[in-house]
């Protein structure tokens, strides 16, 4: 793969996120040549609804390509995709949306998901598809649409995700990668085909869904008009790619045994790669595909950075959270002892996904004493978020293999205090490899595996990494607190639900 005029050849990773699309140009040497990003709105026409206009996301994709070719000075050798999961768009025969896209965060099918989760059928579907039974899944969204929008449901030619929408606009074909398909709740992750049982539950035939392809599938030969619009040659290769979570594991070099990836952004997630699914129906670990031979197993929590932002906004009366506010927070808790002198925080402000799957859970501070200062509440909040992620990590570890290393990413890695708390609570070595753009970079690595294996092998050798070792004394203390942390939710669950029902 050689660029024209002896310029440095590069692959473009496109990460189609919920709030923005980002393009990262990575040379075959691993050097990042340029980054561009386009944002778009999320609409909430009713409480619990989360919708977007897919045409705006296509426009953002086009703008990213146009800008990156100008910034770098020439077109990429290939373009590879990462994308957010669980979106669904009803389209007609020519790919035109019949309604707004429903995002992963949409909760309108919450009651349907709860009823299915409490049934024997729910566990059967979970074991076939690997997808948690939750309102985020397209399966539950389709069940809601069939009941509440029967005319739209009947008129729809295909139900597709945002990545499929962009792919159709490029090549005029309905195709989906195994990774995105495996997050729908409609795909048999062992047989690598649409599940007849899940499709029947949703009220559709498999023909209403796109043709599944391995994540390494690629094609070229754009028509002249599309190539001109995107400012690239018609021969440019497009790799269909994978989900953002799968790409993030690849981009952060988290594909070996005994290694987990942990991300804290607005929410948080723990993920491992495995040659087989890791099932736990109670904790409902997810089992998505990185490729036809590799599963991405783990769990996601609702309350990551968003819980800390709540704390800053309401406890410290910050109307606009800045980097200085985070620095002040970390400075304030540096001298506060590990364990916050017994103060515990349940961080379930926005309900919780793994491992509770309880939308009616809520946040709580416990064991408040006169000695506890503002700094104690701040530190206990960080510890609570880390306990919640450790809860997921333990479930994944207990059902798979011993985890000795956690590769971490997200904005929190810039704080030595927060990363040390995480290391001490989990008792695991924390490693920072790819602090930013892990999903887009993972999409590039996926393309390299197919188109330039030698470059990929070179880039898997990591020279620079930051290691945070756990304090064993702190870990022993935190292990006792963790037992209480889990017991407190069990003890308070009924009260949380009663208060939710009272709209308190």
């Amino acid at each position: 793969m050689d660029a024209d005029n002896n310029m440095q050849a590069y692959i473009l990773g496109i990460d189609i996120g919920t709030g923005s699309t980002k393009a990262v140009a990575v040379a075959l040497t691993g050097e990042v040549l340029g980054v561009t990003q386009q944002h778009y709105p999320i609409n909430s026409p009713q409480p619990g609804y989360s919708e977007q206009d897919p045409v705006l996301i296509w426009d953002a994709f086009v703008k990213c390509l146009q800008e990156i070719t100008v910034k770098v000075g020439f077109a990429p050798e290939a373009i590879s995709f990462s994308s957010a999961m669980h979106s669904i768009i009803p389209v007609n025969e020519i790919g035109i949306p019949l309604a707004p896209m429903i995002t992963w965060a949409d909760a309108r099918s919450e009651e349907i998901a709860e009823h299915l989760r409490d049934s024997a059928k729910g566990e059967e579907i979970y074991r076939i598809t690997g997808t948690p039974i939750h309102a985020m899944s397209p399966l539950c969204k389709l069940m809601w649409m069939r009941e509440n929008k029967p005319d739209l449901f009947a008129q729809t030619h295909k139900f597709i995700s945002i990545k499929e929408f962009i792919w159709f606009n490029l090549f005029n074909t309905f195709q989906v990668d195994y990774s995105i398909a495996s997050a729908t709740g409609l795909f048999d992750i062992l047989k690598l085909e649409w599940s007849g049982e899940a499709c029947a539950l949703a009220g559709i035939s498999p023909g209403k869904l796109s043709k599944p392809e391995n994540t390494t599938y690629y094609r070229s030969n754009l028509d002249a008009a599309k190539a001109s619009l995107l400012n690239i040659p018609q021969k440019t290769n497009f790799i269909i790619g994978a989900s953002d979570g799968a790409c993030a594991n690849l981009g952060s070099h988290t594909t070996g045994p005994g290694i987990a990836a942990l991300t804290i952004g607005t929410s948080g997630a723990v993920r491992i790669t495995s040659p087989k699914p890791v099932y736990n129906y109670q904790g409902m670990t997810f089992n998505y595909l990185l490729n036809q031979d590799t599963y991405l197993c783990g769990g996601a929590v609702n309350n990551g950075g968003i819980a800390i932002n709540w704390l800053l906004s309401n406890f410290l009366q910050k109307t606009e959270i800045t980097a200085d506010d985070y620095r002040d927070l970390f400075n304030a808790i540096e001298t506060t002892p590990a364990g916050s002198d017994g103060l515990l925080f349940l961080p379930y402000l926005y309900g919780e996904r793994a491992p509770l799957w309880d939308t009616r859970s809520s946040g709580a501070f416990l064991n408040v004493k006169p000695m506890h200062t503002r700094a104690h509440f701040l530190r206990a909040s960080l510890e609570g978020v880390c306990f919640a992620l450790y809860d997921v990590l333990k479930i994944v570890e207990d059902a798979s293999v011993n985890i000795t290393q956690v590769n971490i990413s997200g904005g929190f890695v810039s704080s030595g205090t927060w990363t040390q708390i995480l290391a001490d609570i989990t008792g695991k070595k924390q490693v920072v490899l790819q602090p930013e753009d892990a999903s887009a970079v993972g999409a590039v690595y996926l393309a390299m595996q197919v188109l330039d294996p030698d470059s990929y092998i070179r880039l898997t050798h990591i020279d620079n990494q930051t290691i945070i070792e756990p304090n064993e004394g702190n870990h022993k203390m935190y292990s006792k607190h963790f037992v209480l942390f889990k017991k407190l939710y069990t003890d308070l669950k009924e009260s949380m639900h009663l208060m939710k029902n009272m709209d308190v």
Side-chain angles (χ1 to χ4, degrees), residues 271-323:
R271 305 177 302 270
I272 65 167
T273 53
S274 170
K276 59 183 181 179
V278 175
Y279 293 114
N280 183 309
Y281 190 61
Q282 183 177 357
M284 221 170 305
T285 48
F286 59 67
N287 292 280
Y288 306 143
L289 286 158
L290 173 58
N291 56 47
Q292 63 185 9
D293 301 313
T294 310
Y295 295 89
L296 185 78
C297 311
V301 301
N302 285 350
N303 301 277
I306 195 171
I308 306 306
N309 284 350
W310 165 84
L311 185 84
L312 290 169
S313 297
N314 293 283
F315 269 47
L316 304 184
Q317 297 182 326
K318 299 289 184 179
T319 55
E320 188 173 329
I321 311 301
T322 67

Side-chain angles (χ1 to χ4, degrees), residues 179-195:
S179 187
I180 291 295
S182 67
T184 62
L186 299 161
F187 191 72
D188 190 318
I189 58 173
L190 298 177
K191 296 180 179 178
L192 302 179
E193 61 186 30
W194 296 116
S195 163

